Amino acid sequence: YADQSYPTNVYWGDTHLHTNLSWDAYNFGNRGLGPEEAYRFAKGETVEANNGMEVKLRRPLDFLVIADHASNMGVMQGLEDSDPDLLSSSLAQQWALRLKEINEIAHLDIVKSTKLSFQLFKDGYFQGTAGSDHYRHAVWKNAAILADKHNLPGQFTAFIGYEWTEVFYNLHRVLVFKDGADKAGKVIPFSQFDSSDPEALWAYLAAYERQTGGE
């Protein structure tokens, strides 16, 4: 139509993807595939899956939101690396010992190892946050910077985002930032350990917009 003013292009993507930065994905077995691999896969590159197979999308995505859980984001990697900032937490010290046990028996008793991993997964959502504000901010800022690195205007959109999770009622919210890392990277993701009330999440988002001028 001559006076057409509505969009006609259709774009395909994913708005709820977890990588090994998420507490659940890691403890369910995805230890090797992080945000870097996720972006490369979404853009049509070949990546190696957990089982060693090479995989590739038949058609690349137009956009992606890596929505790793805000709660204990990147903590498992810190436990693996014995990060001193993270291990200043007594809770992280407990989890580090449990991860060590899981790794030690993985090749001997996969059933027991899987059971222990699942228990660690559950405890990570109920026992609290292990990372300091400094640690949490560093993980988030790196994730935001990586999104900017993979964002290709006009070709592929890498939105910065994360998931806020209210575990008792299964109320999940994926937050998508309109901004780049210069604004989104200034904050620390709001998790259920900050508050399990969705209205507290809305207040956090309103404060983000006031403080950064972002959306």
Side-chain angles (χ1 to χ4, degrees):
Y1 299 98
D3 60 349
Q4 177 175 303
S5 60
Y6 51 85
T8 57
N9 291 341
V10 178
Y11 298 101
W12 301 93
D14 191 338
T15 59
H16 191 171
L17 180 74
H18 295 327
T19 75
N20 64 358
L21 289 182
S22 280
W23 186 263
D24 55 355
Y26 183 98
N27 284 292
F28 288 157
N30 175 31
R31 293 194 173 191
L33 298 170
E36 177 69 34
E37 290 77 17
Y39 286 124
R40 287 176 45 222
F41 182 68
K43 292 160 78 173
E45 296 181 33
T46 299
V47 301
E48 185 177 307
N50 276 318
N51 61 5
M53 292 178 62
E54 289 192 338
V55 292
K56 181 179 180 179
L57 285 177
R58 188 175 302 150
R59 179 194 184 282
L61 300 183
D62 298 309
F63 64 88
L64 177 64
V65 182
I66 290 182
D68 283 312
H69 291 274
S71 50
N72 289 311
M73 184 188 296
V75 165
M76 295 307 299
Q77 285 73 21
L79 297 180
E80 274 188 350
D81 298 336
S82 299
D83 186 284
D85 185 14
L86 180 62
L87 291 178
S88 63
S89 158
S90 60
L91 186 56
Q93 293 170 19
Q94 296 173 35
W95 289 346
L97 291 175
R98 294 171 65 181
L99 178 61
K100 182 180 179 182
E101 180 185 7
I102 290 167
N103 291 337
E104 286 176 347
I105 68 170
H107 300 295
L108 303 173
D109 190 338
I110 189 62
V111 174
K112 184 177 179 181
S113 175
T114 301
K115 183 177 179 180
L116 291 175
S117 291
F118 185 72
Q119 186 60 53
L120 183 58
F121 149 72
K122 291 196 295 184
D123 290 344
Y125 283 111
F126 292 101
Q127 290 184 334
T129 183
S132 64
D133 284 353
H134 179 266
Y135 184 85
R136 294 170 62 203
H137 183 248
V139 171
W140 169 246
K141 188 173 182 180
N142 286 338
I145 290 172
L146 190 61
D148 279 0
K149 170 190 168 185
H150 283 278
N151 189 60
L152 301 172
Q155 299 178 50
F156 176 81
T157 302
F159 289 103
I160 297 171
Y162 69 85
E163 179 183 322
W164 173 87
T165 312
E166 204 297 301
V167 293
F168 293 104
Y169 300 105
N170 208 34
L171 299 174
H172 300 180
R173 300 288 185 273
V174 172
L175 312 181
V176 184
F177 292 83
K178 187 176 180 180
D179 314 301
D182 58 328
K183 292 182 179 178
K186 290 181 178 179
V187 297
I188 298 175
F190 192 84
S191 79
Q192 77 262 27
F193 297 127
D194 296 301
S195 176
S196 59
D197 182 355
E199 292 192 4
L201 175 65
W202 311 150
Y204 162 86
L205 295 176
Y208 167 81
E209 292 191 334
R210 288 195 305 272
Q211 294 165 8
T212 67
E215 294 183 61

